[in-house]
Amino acid sequence: MDIPRFGIPEKLAGRMDMAEQHAYLRMRLTRRGVLRASVATAAVAGAGIGIAAAPAHAVPAVLTSRGPACEVDGSLVAPFGRHLAYGADPRTQMAVSWQVPFAVRRPFIRIGLKPWALGHRIGAEVRHLATPVLNGGRIAAAEQYYVHARLERLRPGTTYSYGVGHDGFDPADPRNLATLGTFTTAPERAEAFTFTAFGDQGVSYHALGNNQVILGQNPAFHLHAGDLCYADPSGSGTSGDTYDARVWDQFLAQTESVAKTVPWMVTTGNHDMEAWYSPDGYGGQNARWSLPCNGPDPVRLPGAYSFVHGNVGVVALDANDVSYEIPANFGISGGGQTRWLERRLGELRADRRVDFVVVFFHHCAFSTTSAHASDGGVRDAWVPLFEKHQVDLVINGHNHVYERTDAILRGAVGRRVAIGEHTDPTRDGIVYVTAGGAGRALYGFPAPDSYEGHVKDRDSVASYHWLKGRAKASGTVEWSRVRFTGYSFLAVRVRAGLHPSMTVSALAESGARIDHFEIRRG
C-alpha cells in the first residue's frame, strides 16, 4: 500500500474510527520525525499572553508544530472573521467570536447601546490551533488564534453595538470605528421573525452569493446544517493529504458579512471531523466556535444543543453519532445524545412559549440524490422521536441540492404537500428538507427536477438508504415532492399570536423562489 507522507490512506480511513485516525496521525508523524511534537492546550495562545482561564468546554490538548509565536505589535494586528452565536437563552446571552493572525495580548470586547458609547473592556479567551506542514510540504503549516467572549445578562429584544480588540487595537478609537458590528438579542415575548438555513457551504462565489441574499432576508438567526468550510475535502473524517487548515481563515472571512450581525448557529457534518486535533475529531470545531453549552456533552458533541427564539424551539444534533453511511464517530455518545434528544423534545413541547419545534442536523433522514441518499441510522435512532413529539420541521444538508418531502408519517406519505399548500404535523406527519445547496459542487437526482414554476411531479422515485455496515437498501419512494439542482437556502417566516404559523420558502442564489409551503398546528 502506498502510504502518503502525511495523512491516512483512504482504504485505512474507511476502517478506522476517529480515535484510531487521531492516534495514527500522531504516531506516524512523531515516529518519522516529520513533526517535533509538544503538547499545548488549545485555550493557550502562547507564552506571556494574559487571558481569562479556559472554561470546562475548552478544546482538548492538541499537537503544536512550532514553539510560541513571535510577538507582533498589537497596533498592526486587525481582528477578522467575526461570528456570533446565541447562548442557551438567546434573550440574555450571546457569544462573539473572531480571529487574529498572530498572538496578541489581552484581547477584549466592548459593547454598548450606541456605537459611540461602547462600555469598558470585557476580557476574552484565546484558543490556539497549530497544524503541521502537510502533503509533503505543499501545504504550509498554520498557527491559528480564535478569540471568544461570552456575554450574559443582556436585555431581551435589544440591539447592541460591539467592537473587538486587544492591546494596541481599540475598536473605540475613531480610526477603528469601521470595525464595529451589531447584534440583537431575542425578544422577551413572541413576535414575527424570519430565520434562514442551509448546509454544505465551503468557500466559493456561490457560497458568497448565498450569504448576500440571506442578509437581505434580515434573519434573526441562521442555521448551518454542517460541512462548514471543507478544509478536509475527503469527508471521511480524516485529515488527509489535502487537509488545509487555512481554508478556515477564508471561510470565516467570507462569512463575516452576515455572521457579524446574525447568530450563525452551526452543527457538525462529516467534513467537520478533523482527526489531527483530537481523538474525537472535534478539537478544531471547539476552538473555532462558541455554541450553547446545554447539550448532552458540549466537549464531545459541540454540535448538539438547543435554544428557544420567540415561539420556536430549535434543536441541533450531531448525526455523525448515528450515521450508518460514515461511521467514523458512530456511537460516540454511547446513546447519550438520543436520550437527551427525547428529554429535550419533551421539555420543548411542555414549554408554553413554544408553538413550533425545528430540528436540524447534517445527514439526511429522507433524500433521493444519487450521492448520499438517506441515512438509515438517522431513521432508526431519531425519526421515531420526531414523530412521537410531533416535530414541525427537520432540516438537513449532506446532499448538495434542494429537496423537500411530503409530510411523512411512519415511513409513508401522511399528506401530500404540493408547492404552496399547508400541512399540520399533529395529524399529517413531518416535512423533511434537504438544504445542501449552500455553495459546494452540486449533486444530481435520479428523477427530473420539480420546483416552483417547473413542476414535474412523479408518483415514485428510485432511491436507497444506508444500512448498518454500509450496505444499501434500494427501492422506490413516494415522498419526494420538490427537487432543485441549484444553489439555494431556506427562509422561514414565523408568525405568533392566536394562529401561529411557519411559512417555509426556498430561494435560489438569485433570490428567485423555488418552493414554499406553510406549517400550522391544530
Side-chain angles (χ1 to χ4, degrees):
M1 181 182 297
D2 182 22
I3 305 293
R5 182 162 184 247
F6 181 89
I8 300 171
E10 200 62 36
K11 291 182 180 179
L12 279 180
R15 299 194 298 268
M16 291 181 177
D17 64 22
M18 288 308 301
E20 291 168 336
Q21 293 172 28
H22 176 72
Y24 178 93
L25 290 176
R26 290 183 58 160
M27 177 184 68
R28 182 164 181 76
L29 293 180
T30 53
R31 184 179 70 240
R32 295 186 61 186
V34 175
L35 176 66
R36 297 295 180 263
S38 63
V39 177
T41 302
V44 177
I49 299 174
I51 60 173
H57 62 272
V59 187
V62 298
L63 294 178
T64 183
S65 58
R66 301 202 296 253
C70 60
E71 190 171 314
V72 177
D73 185 338
S75 65
L76 303 177
V77 180
F80 70 97
R82 290 166 294 174
H83 50 287
L84 306 174
Y86 280 146
D89 184 353
R91 298 170 299 183
T92 62
Q93 299 174 332
M94 188 74 74
V96 181
S97 304
W98 65 98
Q99 193 173 351
V100 286
F102 302 100
V104 296
R105 289 182 177 273
R106 288 181 287 275
F108 62 86
I109 184 172
R110 292 180 183 269
I111 67 169
L113 296 178
K114 301 294 182 182
W116 56 84
L118 299 182
H120 63 278
R121 300 183 180 193
I122 302 171
E125 168 204 352
V126 180
R127 304 176 194 169
H128 172 217
L129 284 182
T131 311
V133 175
L134 311 183
N135 198 19
R138 291 191 293 275
I139 297 176
E143 296 280 349
Q144 294 169 312
Y145 301 90
Y146 300 98
V147 192
H148 303 267
R150 289 184 181 269
L151 304 174
E152 301 192 356
R153 298 188 297 278
L154 301 169
R155 300 178 190 174
T158 302
T159 297
Y160 289 88
S161 294
Y162 74 91
V164 299
H166 48 263
D167 279 6
F169 186 96
D170 189 343
D173 188 309
R175 295 171 296 180
N176 298 326
L177 292 181
T179 68
L180 301 185
T182 63
F183 64 79
T184 303
T185 53
E188 184 66 50
R189 295 177 178 83
E191 56 188 44
F193 70 95
T194 297
F195 71 88
T196 53
F198 61 37
D200 303 81
Q201 188 177 19
V203 178
S204 72
Y205 288 117
H206 296 293
L208 186 61
N210 259 341
N211 281 355
Q212 300 315 303
V213 182
I214 282 173
L215 193 59
Q217 305 304 306
N218 191 28
F221 57 87
H222 177 75
L223 306 179
H224 196 313
D227 281 7
L228 306 178
C229 88
Y230 290 82
D232 173 16
S234 75
S236 60
T238 70
S239 290
D241 283 359
T242 59
Y243 178 73
D244 187 350
R246 298 170 302 174
V247 177
W248 281 105
D249 302 344
Q250 301 171 41
F251 174 80
L252 291 173
Q254 168 190 271
T255 303
E256 184 175 22
S257 63
V258 186
K260 69 180 180 181
T261 57
V262 177
W264 203 258
M265 309 305 294
V266 307
T267 190
T268 316
N270 54 293
H271 283 273
D272 304 318
M273 296 184 288
E274 298 171 340
W276 171 251
Y277 301 110
S278 63
D280 55 19
Y282 295 153
Q285 181 91 333
N286 273 315
R288 298 178 179 107
W289 304 90
S290 283
L291 299 166
C293 296
N294 60 352
D297 189 335
V299 175
R300 295 290 300 281
L301 295 171
Y305 56 87
S306 72
F307 63 91
V308 175
H309 181 110
N311 61 339
V312 176
V314 178
V315 179
L317 298 173
D318 180 353
N320 293 317
D321 183 27
V322 299
S323 172
Y324 290 163
E325 180 198 4
I326 302 174
N329 257 344
F330 183 81
I332 187 174
S333 75
Q337 181 176 204
T338 300
R339 292 189 293 272
W340 171 81
L341 171 63
E342 173 148 38
R343 182 173 66 253
R344 186 59 183 143
L345 290 177
E347 292 169 348
L348 290 172
R349 278 288 168 236
D351 190 333
R352 292 188 174 184
R353 297 177 299 163
V354 174
D355 293 316
F356 301 103
V357 175
V358 175
V359 179
F360 76 108
F361 52 92
H362 188 62
H363 302 68
C364 295
F366 296 96
S367 180
T368 64
T369 67
S370 52
H372 296 296
S374 308
D375 198 308
V378 169
R379 291 186 183 182
D380 290 348
W382 294 342
V383 167
L385 299 181
F386 299 159
E387 294 187 354
K388 175 181 177 181
H389 295 281
Q390 297 179 348
V391 166
D392 297 285
L393 179 65
V394 175
I395 300 169
N396 300 138
H398 201 40
N399 288 296
H400 301 180
V401 291
Y402 175 81
E403 186 171 19
R404 195 258 293 167
T405 72
D406 290 319
I408 297 176
L409 185 62
R410 293 184 288 276
V413 175
R415 175 187 173 91
R416 175 174 166 148
V417 185
I419 295 169
E421 293 192 356
H422 69 273
T423 181
D424 181 349
T426 65
R427 62 171 185 264
D428 300 336
I430 302 167
V431 173
Y432 295 80
V433 175
T434 299
R440 291 291 286 187
L442 297 168
Y443 295 165
F445 288 108
D449 280 14
S450 181
Y451 57 94
E452 189 165 345
H454 299 79
V455 174
K456 297 181 181 179
D457 275 339
R458 286 289 186 93
D459 292 333
S460 64
V461 175
S463 189
Y464 66 91
H465 65 273
W466 293 91
L467 302 174
K468 200 167 187 178
R470 301 200 79 243
K472 295 180 181 179
S474 300
T476 58
V477 303
E478 291 72 43
W479 38 255
S480 179
R481 186 52 49 205
V482 181
R483 297 174 299 278
F484 176 71
T485 306
Y487 297 101
S488 59
F489 65 93
L490 282 187
V492 182
R493 177 67 173 172
V494 181
R495 295 174 179 83
L498 293 177
H499 303 288
S501 65
M502 291 199 303
T503 300
V504 183
S505 299
L507 303 179
E509 64 175 331
S510 64
R513 193 174 67 183
I514 56 174
D515 184 25
H516 71 286
F517 67 99
E518 189 173 61
I519 299 172
R520 311 170 193 161
R521 295 184 63 87

